Amino acid sequence: MAGIKALVGLSFSGAIGLTFLLLGCAIETVYWPMFVLIFYVLSPIPTFISRRLSDDSESSNACRELAYFLTTGIVVSSFGLPIVLARTNTIKWGACGLVMTGNAVIFLTILGFFIVFGGGDDWSWEQW
């Protein structure tokens, strides 16, 4: 039952994050901030690949460290894109703030997913 509550909570926080992103796009009806959706899709991929390829017996290895580095680059790019769009006057600064708030909520949701379902115990994401 705890897994279902976690899944409902994560889906609710993901919906809140996407709402902030859509509100940022609706300020001037400019949809350039929607490009951060690409970063949302790309951010967990290096971690999925490193967990598949590396064994958990070591405390640290090169594959896992490279995955953390790539994930960090993707997340920083996701926060940088709205700032660049606001500096070039493509979007307003209010929209930039809403998109960055949505980024924070979505990436905390992705982190929560890995914390709740990535432990390898009986609550794994594979059962869904």
Side-chain angles (χ1 to χ4, degrees):
M1 192 68 174
I4 293 174
K5 288 181 182 179
L7 187 65
V8 168
L10 288 172
S11 64
F12 181 70
S13 64
I16 295 294
L18 288 176
T19 302
F20 278 120
L21 176 64
L22 291 175
L23 284 174
C25 293
I27 285 183
E28 324 176 17
T29 357
V30 175
Y31 294 103
W32 287 106
M34 293 292 278
F35 279 108
V36 298
L37 289 173
I38 297 169
F39 296 120
Y40 298 161
V41 172
L42 291 178
S43 65
I45 291 175
T47 306
F48 283 146
I49 292 172
S50 74
R51 286 189 180 193
R52 178 81 173 170
L53 295 178
S54 67
D55 53 349
D56 291 334
S57 61
E58 300 176 16
S59 63
S60 177
N61 58 17
C63 181
R64 188 174 298 150
E65 296 297 327
L66 178 64
Y68 291 158
F69 177 75
L70 293 175
T71 302
T72 302
I74 292 169
V75 170
V76 168
S77 297
S78 169
F79 281 98
L81 180 65
I83 294 173
V84 169
L85 290 175
R87 294 274 300 168
T88 59
N89 292 327
T90 306
I91 63 172
K92 293 182 182 177
W93 283 102
C96 176
L98 285 170
V99 171
M100 291 181 70
T101 303
N103 282 346
V105 172
I106 290 290
F107 285 123
L108 287 175
T109 302
I110 292 171
L111 176 68
F113 174 80
F114 278 111
I115 289 172
V116 171
F117 295 109
D121 54 341
D122 51 337
W123 295 109
S124 69
W125 61 275
E126 295 164 347
Q127 66 183 345
W128 302 101

